[in-house]
Amino acid sequence: MSTPKTLVIGIDGAPYTLLSEYMERGYLPNFKRILGSGFNLAQMDASIPDVSSTSWTSFMTGVNPGEHGIYGFMELKYGTYKMSFPNFMDVQAPSIWDITGGKSEKGSTLFDRYRGKVDKTLRSIVLNIPQTFPAMPLNGILTAGFVCPDLKKGTYPESAYDYLKSMGYIPDVDANRAATDPEGFFREAFLALEKRAEAYEHFLNNESWELFIGVITETDRLHHFFFDAALDGSHRYHETFVSFYRKMDEVVGRLFDRFMEITSGAGLFMTMSDHGFTVIEKEVYLNTWLKENGYLNLNPSREFFEQIDSGSKAFAMDPSRIYINVEGRYPLGSVSDNDKRQVIEGLKKGLENITYNGRPVIKAVYGKDALYKGRATDKAPDLVCIAHDGFDLKGNLKKQDVFGTSHFRGMHTRHDAHCIMPAAAAPSERLHIENLADIILAHLIGG
Amino acid sequence: MDHLTILENKSIFIIREAYAKFRNIAVLWSVGKDSTTLLWLCRKAFYGKIPFPVIHIDTSYKFPEMYKFRDEYAKKWDLDLIIGKNESEIEAGMGPTKGAKLDCCNELKTNALKQTINRYGFKALLLGIRRDEHGIRAKERVFSPRDENFKWNYEDQPAELWDQYKSTAEEDNHFRVHPILHMTELDIWKYIKRENMPLSELYFSRNAKRFRSIGCVPCCSPIESQASSVDEIIYELEHTNTAERAGRAQDKEDAYTMQKLRSLGYM
């Protein structure tokens, strides 16, 4: 019988196309070596919207946002325009490690398939997956990824917190420095990666486990601010960018070798990302567009989404979610249930026709019924837009113009996430991030 | 001069300046600690008898303790008390459970105040807001012009450098005057202690809970606190690690999250 051990290395925002290109150029010798030993690199679709909180939750629960209920980093509290920030407690579906442990209070379609096969002896080590704060007890160890406001509350058990604290683990780099002090930002990013590698190897070697998931966040941070340096040899930070990938390649190679040693080559090894990245050409401020087109009135004497004023028909939240300001649901809701469909149709048409210098900006606008299925659809956005590469759709409320630029250089892409797994385990159809949990569970307890 | 006296002098200067410039003014009194402090300062500015009306906007949903306190001190301090009510909406059953909370505030507070201002034609209102209450307050001025619809154009307001206040208004405008804008929550409590000011009992701990701010019953919730005297509240504000207090721990995590999301362009 093969060992059920599984190692997943998450590389936040690492695009399929960039990994392929860098392998071609010889920057990633370990990736190349792994692919040469029976592994397959595939392009993968992320969840919609392609934001880390949503996509990672889809990864760890194996279900669509309509079931897990995470549509972004922020929501409005029901019946108000006040912002709230959903955390792990708001995830409506069980994670892979909940399923192996038979934690059944949250059901899901994936859980139903494995209900009879739970094995509570399986131990999980879950490091730095976004949207897992606060840490919930599990058979194993967990330290939460972005956003983790308190490492102690974000880590289970306390001995793991003590270890992380003592070795100088960095939960998240200070992204604000990327604009003001790039050198300092790079130094911290390299250090954070080093510390993660050290902590992951420590747990890999000194703990018993069957499922091990470790995520690297720094790639995403690097991409947000410097993705234009990825392929541009003349960019001031091109060398730095490449050397970060080289370092990441080294870390992945070390963890891979150790895993192969432990499992004698029989485990399931995987690397994956939650979305891809591309260079930003223009930021597109959807709320400004909504304002200009008569859908949104703001009262600037209030703050954030409480600025939404009477008569507003719709508003946008990051990254590309549009909500209809429905009567009864929102304090100043002005669209009746009867009119909702018409407003949605008008919006869809309008959004699809946005152009920049004659080029279309938005590739597709999806209604919520087309995207989401499950018991958490009540919180789902009414529309979600997918932009053409280069147009970063934003939910800012204070922009004067629809188009603008900022210090951000990279934007997420839905279609260019990556996944490396054994060729034998890889499905023949195009991969979606929601498929991975099933593949992992099949290996862990399915057989 | 000590810190509290400097703050007090500044407030009294603003109150007298407003009265001298506008004459037809009123002070808003919610019966909470901040506006009661403002009332106290107005009394001091005019040696005990406030020469203009005191408006209490009554939503009909205030705590019974607040009505009791209001009536008791309106009499003791000989206040010219105007009670502003949006009678038609109250009669029509407006309340936090009827519509949305914002509608309720809008009708029973904002519109009640608009009606009262229109009835009496006040040129300026004294309000007890503080700069440390909320982020948006950072942009507030001591003399803050409003148009007839109460709109505050925060991008076009007088600079107020070196304490030079602009207090001339165009037709149809009224001014909001904020004499305690420069005080913090802790300053207020220290001042309450120094002056031995009376205050609603809701602020002091009963059954391990007290209210940090008071208003309408359905929309206020108490915080966990053992502080049952002004001294204990001051101690609590100065020494309690905010992370240990349930309500505020959430605020702190949210503030951290917001700052993180903003740094990645998500806000």
Side-chain angles (χ1 to χ4, degrees):
Chain A
M1 203 186 113
S2 71
T3 164
K5 280 194 201 308
T6 297
L7 171 62
V8 182
I9 304 174
I11 311 167
D12 204 302
Y16 164 84
T17 44
L18 186 66
L19 288 174
S20 310
E21 175 66 25
Y22 275 9
M23 265 188 273
E24 190 103 322
R25 294 186 184 190
Y27 297 162
L28 308 174
N30 288 293
F31 274 87
K32 200 152 188 181
R33 180 165 65 84
I34 292 166
L35 291 191
S37 61
F39 285 79
N40 185 38
L41 167 64
Q43 194 177 41
M44 182 170 75
D45 286 331
S47 282
I48 298 177
D50 49 28
V51 64
S52 296
S53 52
T54 304
S55 222
W56 281 111
T57 308
S58 298
F59 161 74
M60 67 183 163
T61 62
V63 294
N64 87 96
E67 264 195 79
H68 66 60
I70 303 296
Y71 296 95
F73 281 114
M74 85 185 129
E75 294 286 343
L76 299 184
K77 286 180 195 156
Y78 196 86
T80 76
Y81 294 114
K82 286 189 198 307
M83 287 187 296
S84 71
F85 306 99
N87 65 21
F88 192 52
M89 322 266 269
D90 298 293
V91 176
Q92 301 294 307
S95 58
I96 301 171
W97 56 95
D98 288 336
I99 293 175
T100 59
K103 262 182 121 179
S104 58
E105 62 268 34
K106 300 171 183 172
S108 77
T109 47
L110 184 64
F111 183 82
D112 288 343
R113 294 225 293 283
Y114 289 93
R115 205 172 271 278
K117 296 175 178 166
V118 301
D119 181 352
K120 292 185 185 177
T121 63
L122 294 185
R123 212 159 173 266
S124 302
I125 298 190
V126 181
L127 307 172
N128 195 36
I129 301 185
Q131 203 63 30
T132 55
F133 178 90
M136 296 284 132
L138 73 162
N139 179 14
I141 293 170
L142 182 144
T143 189
F146 191 72
V147 182
C148 177
D150 179 348
L151 186 60
K152 193 168 186 177
K153 232 173 122 176
T155 306
Y156 178 89
E158 201 161 326
S159 56
Y161 166 75
D162 292 339
Y163 163 74
L164 291 172
K165 181 97 185 145
S166 72
M167 56 85 67
Y169 179 76
I170 301 171
D172 190 24
V173 298
D174 178 6
N176 278 321
R177 281 173 85 180
T180 53
D181 173 18
E183 312 287 338
F185 168 77
F186 291 129
R187 268 198 306 278
E188 199 188 10
F190 275 92
L191 182 63
L193 176 58
E194 208 167 280
K195 291 291 176 187
R196 280 198 213 289
E198 186 187 334
Y200 295 1
E201 282 174 276
H202 166 84
F203 289 125
L204 198 78
N205 290 320
N206 299 305
E207 294 284 337
S208 77
W209 51 268
E210 277 72 34
L211 172 64
F212 193 112
I213 306 173
V215 174
I216 294 167
T217 311
E218 288 62 46
T219 33
D220 178 86
R221 304 298 183 263
L222 191 69
H223 295 167
H224 271 289
F225 299 97
F226 300 102
F227 200 74
D228 54 339
L231 296 172
D232 176 3
S234 68
H235 193 290
R236 195 172 162 198
Y237 295 116
H238 176 68
E239 288 303 317
T240 315
F241 194 101
V242 170
S243 64
F244 193 87
Y245 262 78
R246 287 182 190 275
K247 171 125 190 162
M248 188 269 287
D249 173 74
E250 252 177 64
V251 170
V252 170
R254 278 210 311 269
L255 292 169
F256 174 77
D257 289 342
R258 183 72 190 120
F259 180 72
M260 287 300 153
E261 212 176 292
I262 295 171
T263 60
S264 317
L268 173 66
F269 173 87
M270 191 185 272
T271 78
M272 45 75 63
S273 54
D274 56 329
H275 49 76
F277 254 95
T278 190
V279 175
I280 295 181
E281 184 181 340
K282 277 285 166 191
E283 293 183 350
V284 184
Y285 309 111
L286 291 176
N287 281 317
T288 312
W289 183 88
L290 290 170
K291 243 167 36 181
E292 285 183 1
N293 288 274
Y295 286 99
L296 179 62
N297 305 320
L298 297 177
N299 176 350
S301 70
R302 299 197 289 260
E303 283 225 306
F304 299 111
F305 289 89
E306 290 175 89
Q307 292 179 77
I308 294 169
D309 220 344
S310 49
S312 295
K313 293 198 192 86
F315 56 91
M317 274 200 282
D318 276 322
S320 55
R321 296 176 282 167
I322 309 244
Y323 292 82
I324 307 299
N325 193 30
V326 176
E327 270 174 16
R329 163 120 199 195
Y330 296 103
L332 299 175
S334 70
V335 177
S336 69
D337 280 336
N338 287 338
D339 297 342
K340 193 173 163 184
R341 250 188 72 183
Q342 202 189 338
V343 173
I344 287 179
E345 284 312 309
L347 261 172
K348 232 179 135 183
K349 222 166 268 160
L351 288 162
E352 281 166 351
N353 287 332
I354 300 177
T355 55
Y356 180 73
N357 288 344
R359 285 154 48 213
V361 166
I362 290 175
K363 194 154 62 175
V365 183
Y366 296 100
K368 78 174 179 188
D369 297 339
L371 292 178
Y372 307 122
K373 222 175 115 190
R375 20 180 209 128
T377 45
D378 57 324
K379 282 194 275 179
D382 294 293
L383 292 169
V384 187
C385 310
I386 297 292
H388 285 288
D389 283 3
F391 295 109
D392 194 16
L393 306 180
K394 300 287 220 180
N396 303 44
L397 288 157
K398 303 215 161 174
K399 297 287 179 179
Q400 296 299 316
D401 302 314
V402 176
F403 297 97
T405 48
S406 72
H407 58 289
F408 295 108
R409 293 291 175 266
M411 60 171 274
H412 295 186
T413 54
R414 181 179 87 89
H415 57 85
D416 199 25
H418 89 276
C419 184
I420 293 176
M421 70 169 100
S428 52
E429 66 271 28
R430 186 176 165 87
L431 261 183
H432 193 289
I433 195 163
E434 290 157 20
N435 305 145
L436 299 184
D438 191 20
I439 294 170
I440 294 166
L441 280 165
H443 180 75
L444 281 172
I445 56 177
Chain B
M1 258 192 300
D2 70 289
H3 179 60
L4 289 176
T5 306
I6 294 170
L7 298 179
E8 178 186 63
N9 285 350
K10 191 167 175 177
S11 298
I12 288 177
F13 172 80
I14 294 164
I15 292 164
R16 289 181 177 154
E17 171 79 5
Y19 182 60
K21 282 273 157 67
F22 299 107
R23 284 288 151 180
N24 190 8
I25 69 172
V27 54
L28 274 186
W29 185 33
S30 73
V31 196
K33 65 180 190 325
D34 296 333
S35 64
T36 303
T37 300
L38 174 59
L39 216 58
W40 186 268
L41 287 160
C42 289
R43 292 178 66 234
K44 283 192 117 174
F46 302 102
Y47 309 103
K49 170 67 187 156
I50 302 176
F52 43 79
V54 176
I55 300 174
H56 177 242
I57 296 299
D58 183 9
T59 60
S60 78
Y61 289 101
K62 302 284 177 191
F63 289 92
E65 291 90 339
M66 292 171 72
Y67 291 116
K68 195 180 124 231
F69 186 90
R70 179 192 74 187
D71 294 339
E72 184 184 338
Y73 284 92
K75 209 165 155 193
K76 268 191 191 152
W77 292 342
D78 190 19
L79 303 179
D80 175 9
L81 185 68
I82 294 174
I83 293 175
K85 262 189 182 180
N86 190 342
E87 300 278 4
S88 59
E89 280 294 333
I90 289 174
E91 263 167 44
M94 174 52 80
T97 50
K98 186 204 169 197
K101 282 185 182 176
L102 246 165
D103 289 337
C104 181
C105 274
N106 194 35
E107 286 301 341
L108 301 190
K109 285 186 183 168
T110 314
N111 283 339
L113 180 59
K114 271 187 199 173
Q115 290 166 7
T116 309
I117 292 176
N118 288 341
R119 192 171 310 143
Y120 294 89
F122 293 120
K123 289 287 171 221
L125 291 179
L126 305 183
L127 270 75
I129 65 164
R130 304 187 331 266
R131 210 184 283 289
D132 72 334
E133 273 175 79
H134 198 276
I136 191 73
R137 300 274 200 244
K139 300 188 183 90
E140 265 295 0
R141 297 293 192 266
V142 173
F143 285 82
S144 177
R146 300 293 152 112
D147 71 11
E148 59 196 317
N149 295 317
F150 279 29
K151 287 263 174 164
W152 172 39
N153 185 357
Y154 72 95
E155 285 169 332
D156 176 25
Q157 31 177 17
E160 293 194 346
L161 301 171
W162 307 286
D163 288 348
Q164 299 293 306
Y165 303 124
K166 174 186 180 288
S167 53
T168 47
E170 287 167 25
E171 292 278 320
D172 287 332
N173 282 11
H174 78 275
F175 266 80
R176 297 276 172 99
V177 182
H178 306 131
I180 61 165
L181 194 61
H182 51 284
M183 294 192 180
T184 64
E185 184 181 11
L186 190 58
D187 291 333
I188 293 285
W189 282 106
K190 287 182 171 168
Y191 187 69
I192 287 169
K193 177 180 157 61
R194 188 185 89 170
E195 300 289 303
N196 196 21
M197 258 172 58
L199 212 55
S200 168
E201 62 205 85
L202 294 166
Y203 285 108
F204 305 103
S205 179
R206 260 187 311 193
N207 304 323
K209 281 182 169 35
R210 69 178 191 89
F211 288 87
R212 211 167 158 208
S213 60
I214 59 177
C216 296
V217 177
C219 295
C220 281
S221 40
I223 59 163
E224 305 278 341
S225 166
Q226 300 289 346
S228 58
S229 68
V230 176
D231 278 323
E232 284 169 13
I233 289 171
I234 291 171
Y235 184 87
E236 182 184 90
L237 289 172
E238 280 180 331
H239 292 90
T240 312
N241 180 355
T242 48
E244 285 172 15
R245 280 168 33 181
R248 295 179 62 187
Q250 187 60 51
D251 289 352
K252 206 176 160 192
E253 282 176 13
D254 282 357
Y256 175 91
T257 301
M258 258 159 90
Q259 181 261 325
K260 277 284 176 188
L261 293 178
R262 192 175 265 163
S263 74
L264 293 175
Y266 289 125
M267 299 282 291

